[in-house]
Amino acid sequence: MSKPTTPYTVVDTAEKSSNTVWHNATVTRKDRERLNSHGSAVLWFTGLSGAGKSTLANAVEERLHQMNCRTHVLDGDNVRHGLCSDLSFSDEDRVENVRRVGEVSKLMVDAGVMVLTAFISPFRSDRQRARDIMGEGDFIEVFCHADLSVCESRDVKGLYARARKGEIPHFTGISSPYETPENPEIAVDTGAKPLNECVDQVIDYLIANGYLQPAEDQCVALAPLPQEEIAPGRPQAYAN
C-alpha cells in the first residue's frame, strides 16, 4: 500500500525558523510574578531511578501549594506518555527528551509558574543545555543523591534486576552512565534523610534566594503598583 500524501507542504525547519519573529506579550512575566506574589523558576530534580526525584518533587509542590504558590510538576514517566512518546531511551533520544522538557519549562517559567521537573537526565551536557535555555537564575539543579544499592532496594517494579539480566537496554546506573552534578544549587541526601527534611532544604533555598517569602508572609496584603508601571488602558495592577 502506498503511503498517503499530506494535504500540506512540509517546510524545511531551518527555512521555517528564519521566517519567524518572537512576539513580546503585553502581560509580562514580571506582571505574573507580581500577581502570584512569588518568583518563578524551574527546580530540576535529577538522580538515579529510585533516588526519590518524583517523590521529593511532588512533596515540594504540595508544600508550595500550601504556601499559595502556582506550581506544576513535569514527571519523566508522564511526559513520555505524550510530549515525548515518540522517543526511546537511547543516548540520542535522552538528549531530545531533556531539550523538549527544557523548552516547555521555559514557557511555564515565563507564565510565572514554579516548575518542578523529575527526570533522571543522566548527562551533564544535557542538564547544562537545559540550564542555557533558561534565563540567569531560572534553573535550580536539585541533585537527589542516593547510593545505587539504596535505589535498587526501593525498586518495587524490579527494573534494576531486569537491567542486570540484560532485559532492559540503556538503563541508567547499570548499562548507561549517570554523570553526577558537579555544582548543583541544591544537593539532597534522599538516600538517608527523611522526606520532610529534604522538602525543608529545598524550601529554605527558595526563601533564602528570594524566590519565595517566608510562609507567614505568603498572604500579606498587596500594595498598588506605581502609576508609571501601569500600561495605559490596563486595570490597576498590584505587587508586594
Side-chain angles (χ1 to χ4, degrees), residues 35-121:
L35 182 65
N36 294 342
S37 300
H38 63 77
S40 59
V42 57
L43 289 157
W44 193 280
F45 295 82
T46 176
L48 291 170
S49 176
K53 300 177 299 299
S54 294
T55 299
L56 180 55
N58 281 279
V60 170
E61 183 187 33
E62 185 176 2
R63 181 79 64 83
L64 289 172
H65 184 74
Q66 292 168 356
M67 297 171 71
N68 297 322
C69 296
R70 273 62 172 176
T71 61
H72 189 76
V73 172
L74 291 172
D75 182 80
D77 284 352
N78 292 353
V79 166
R80 283 185 175 271
H81 281 275
L83 178 67
C84 300
S85 60
D86 59 319
L87 300 178
S88 71
F89 286 90
S90 68
D91 288 355
E92 294 79 8
D93 280 4
R94 285 177 184 267
V95 171
E96 175 61 12
N97 186 60
V98 171
R99 186 196 71 81
R100 293 183 193 182
V101 173
E103 292 289 354
V104 170
S105 297
K106 181 180 179 180
L107 292 173
M108 297 183 77
V109 168
D110 187 60
V113 175
M114 272 287 184
V115 187
L116 305 92
T117 71
F119 293 82
I120 294 174
S121 46

Side-chain angles (χ1 to χ4, degrees), residues 123-140:
F123 305 125
R124 293 191 192 103
S125 59
D126 294 342
R127 297 193 299 268
Q128 183 60 49
R129 191 174 295 111
R131 183 185 294 272
D132 292 341
I133 290 172
M134 310 293 170
E136 182 69 26
D138 289 348
F139 186 94
I140 302 169

